[in-house]
Amino acid sequence: MFIFHKKTKVLNERKRQEAVDSYKLVGTLPERSYDDITQIAAYICDAPISLVTMLDYNRNFLKSHYGVPFSESPRKISFCTHAIQSPESIFVIPDARKDDRFKNNPLVTGEMKAIFYAGVPLIDKGGHALGTLCVFDHKPRTLSDRQKNTLIALANQVVNLFELHRQNLENKALQKNLLKKNSLLKDFAGVVSHDMKMPLANIITTTDLLKAKYKELLDEKGLDYLNYLKSSSFSLSEYINGILLHYESDNLTINQRELFDIHDLLEELEDLLNADYKCVIHLPETNHLINCNKVALNQIFLNLIGNSLKYSDKESPEIYISFDENDDFYLFEVKDNGIGIAPDKLGEIFDLFTIATDKDKNGNRGNGIGLSTVKKLVTNLGGKINVTSEIGKGTTFKFTARKADIPTQISGPEYDTSKSYKN
């Protein structure tokens, strides 16, 4: 018994040609995946010639050709033109010299001596016959049922390769379109965010001027309104700065390296953190000189430490920063004793605009940008980040950054290798 194709061939030539064009394979170079199939087909059928063909407008393009030196032939003399019109799942010509359709064909009478032919139409999911997987021989013969079944099965694999090729083309086009839209969105976010910073600064300044000039004329409720306006403006300003930083983080890459030591980096952060927070930050026990993108690493620590301080329920928050390294990576850890993160939130805290806690210790709602930016920066540094947490006990972030091939350990009396500092 033969394995018949399930789909009915659509013989409308215009639609068939459109289907052929959609795969964008006609005229392409040979590929190993197709050549392997024609070689197997020739071996199974004990035939000297095997082809994967695609019938184009006026030519028969050979995507793979085993046993012949050419890659195309005129369509008007092609055996495959007849094969795609056949109602059978495999089209067989035992002796072309005795067939009125082929006996005067130059493929039969010429050097190729195409006496025997067996071709399986390559039918796509729309039912269009694109071409064939076929074998030729120089003598009259036939195929066994086993050979026919195998040739049909190999033809199905050719169609699968066609579909995979088209899917890859569609994916590339989609990716290109997404990259373009993302670039436009990035530019839009940057322009809008920059344009909004000055009006927000004016609102904040104007609010202070109104309070100073009309304080005696405003009742307590009026002053509350001004305070709320100023607070909201600061929140929006922080949101805008977060968006700008998130998109600008693409410019901070692994290749922008400089030498610096860990303790100096963390001490620089002390000036950037809110002086109202009372906390103890424990630095790594051993100081190290590392070769990394300092700006990116600074921003990562600023976000992680800042979150630890904002979302702490302890009177004296403590943050432990650890450092280690192996042959390929710098290994960092930031651990706090804060409120922790709920288990159902751990899987999404790095998603943009996702927040793990409704409000921080000052009653402000987060914007869900900081940790997404952290993950992007870590990825840009060639590393990964993960988080573990326990409600009421604290959270630990571990992340890596890929190393450059230079020595990193420092020893000497000029470095204080064990210290902590308070804000």
Side-chain angles (χ1 to χ4, degrees):
M1 294 295 292
F2 297 170
I3 303 173
F4 290 97
H5 290 291
K6 294 181 180 180
K7 295 184 182 297
T8 302
K9 287 179 288 186
V10 177
L11 298 179
N12 184 299
E13 178 58 24
R14 182 181 62 80
K15 292 183 178 180
R16 191 202 68 80
Q17 185 62 57
E18 289 176 353
V20 171
D21 292 341
S22 71
Y23 289 90
K24 300 185 186 304
L25 278 166
V26 173
T28 58
L29 294 173
E31 296 179 51
R32 177 68 179 273
S33 54
Y34 296 98
D35 291 344
D36 286 345
I37 289 178
T38 52
Q39 185 175 355
I40 293 171
Y43 174 78
I44 293 295
C45 297
D46 193 23
I49 299 171
S50 178
L51 311 173
V52 170
T53 73
M54 299 190 79
L55 288 164
D56 199 18
Y57 294 91
N58 56 10
R59 61 173 169 166
N60 188 25
F61 171 70
L62 312 183
K63 179 57 184 171
S64 177
H65 48 95
Y66 177 86
V68 295
F70 49 87
S71 60
E72 64 177 70
S73 62
R75 180 173 171 178
K76 64 182 181 180
I77 65 172
S78 171
F79 282 58
C80 300
T81 297
H82 297 270
I84 66 169
Q85 296 173 355
S86 172
E88 303 296 330
S89 61
I90 182 168
F91 180 71
V92 179
I93 304 297
D95 189 342
R97 297 171 302 181
K98 297 179 180 179
D99 193 309
D100 291 338
R101 296 170 295 179
F102 302 103
K103 63 183 181 181
N104 296 320
N105 191 305
L107 296 176
V108 178
T109 61
E111 293 182 3
M112 186 173 172
K113 294 182 180 180
I115 306 301
F116 168 79
Y117 172 86
V120 179
L122 302 174
I123 302 174
D124 71 0
K125 59 185 178 182
H128 304 100
L130 310 172
T132 69
L133 171 64
C134 61
V135 293
F136 286 90
D137 206 337
H138 306 308
K139 59 187 178 183
R141 52 172 295 196
T142 186
L143 296 179
S144 68
D145 287 350
R146 178 183 62 84
Q147 290 171 320
K148 292 178 180 179
N149 291 338
T150 303
L151 197 61
I152 291 171
L154 289 173
N156 290 334
Q157 294 309 308
V158 174
V159 175
N160 288 338
L161 289 175
F162 285 176
E163 294 296 338
L164 182 61
H165 176 80
R166 183 162 66 177
Q167 187 62 55
N168 286 338
L169 291 177
E170 292 174 355
N171 289 341
K172 288 180 180 179
L174 179 61
Q175 182 182 37
K176 184 178 180 180
N177 189 42
L178 289 175
L179 289 173
K180 182 179 180 180
K181 288 185 177 181
N182 185 63
S183 179
L184 292 173
L185 179 60
K186 178 180 176 180
D187 293 341
F188 174 77
V191 170
V192 171
S193 298
H194 277 110
D195 289 349
M196 290 179 67
K197 292 183 73 173
M198 183 57 69
L200 274 174
N202 291 337
I203 291 174
I204 294 171
T205 302
T206 302
T207 302
D208 287 337
L209 289 174
L210 288 173
K211 286 178 62 177
K213 188 171 183 179
Y214 299 104
K215 183 177 181 180
E216 302 300 328
L217 301 177
L218 294 172
D219 57 14
E220 184 176 349
K221 194 170 184 179
L223 293 174
D224 287 341
Y225 284 144
L226 289 178
N227 289 332
Y228 178 74
L229 179 62
K230 183 177 180 179
S231 175
S232 298
S233 298
F234 273 122
S235 296
L236 184 55
S237 179
E238 182 180 354
Y239 187 82
I240 290 171
N241 289 333
I243 291 177
L244 285 172
L245 181 61
H246 179 79
Y247 285 109
E248 289 172 356
S249 64
D250 287 333
N251 299 323
L252 301 176
T253 68
I254 190 173
N255 297 320
Q256 299 165 324
R257 295 180 180 272
E258 61 180 292
L259 290 170
F260 58 94
D261 74 65
I262 301 252
H263 285 186
D264 281 351
L265 171 71
L266 295 173
E267 287 170 345
E268 288 174 3
L269 290 177
E270 181 180 13
D271 296 332
L272 298 175
L273 296 171
N274 193 325
D276 293 336
Y277 289 117
K278 295 180 179 180
C279 69
V280 176
I281 300 179
H282 301 276
L283 274 63
E285 294 182 358
T286 303
N287 199 9
H288 288 255
L289 183 71
I290 67 174
N291 186 25
C292 191
N293 188 320
K294 184 176 181 180
V295 175
L297 197 59
N298 182 84
Q299 192 58 50
I300 291 169
F301 275 116
L302 183 62
N303 273 285
L304 294 179
I305 295 173
N307 278 353
S308 294
L309 298 179
K310 288 191 293 184
Y311 295 97
S312 177
D313 56 352
K314 308 297 189 297
E315 290 187 7
S316 298
E318 289 194 65
I319 298 171
Y320 298 83
I321 301 175
S322 302
F323 173 85
D324 201 354
E325 59 183 310
N326 58 31
D327 291 340
D328 299 313
F329 292 94
Y330 300 121
L331 314 173
F332 303 95
E333 179 178 294
V334 178
K335 181 179 181 181
D336 65 43
N337 64 341
I339 61 176
I341 301 172
D344 61 331
K345 295 290 186 179
L346 287 176
E348 58 186 36
I349 62 170
F350 295 113
D351 296 341
L352 187 61
F353 304 129
T354 298
I355 58 175
T357 306
D358 289 338
K359 293 182 180 180
D360 63 20
K361 64 191 303 179
N362 297 318
N364 298 317
R365 180 180 174 84
N367 51 44
I369 299 175
L371 288 180
S372 175
T373 303
V374 165
K375 184 175 182 179
K376 181 184 285 191
L377 288 169
V378 170
T379 301
N380 289 351
L381 297 183
K384 295 182 179 180
I385 186 168
N386 63 68
V387 58
T388 57
S389 186
E390 189 173 350
I391 294 295
K393 292 188 177 181
T395 301
T396 300
F397 288 93
K398 294 181 180 181
F399 67 94
T400 60
R402 184 169 289 279
K403 293 173 62 174
D405 297 328
I406 64 164
T408 57
Q409 182 69 37
I410 295 179
S411 60
E414 68 272 25
Y415 292 95
D416 182 1
T417 58
S418 60
K419 56 182 177 179
S420 64
Y421 63 87
K422 295 183 178 181
N423 284 341

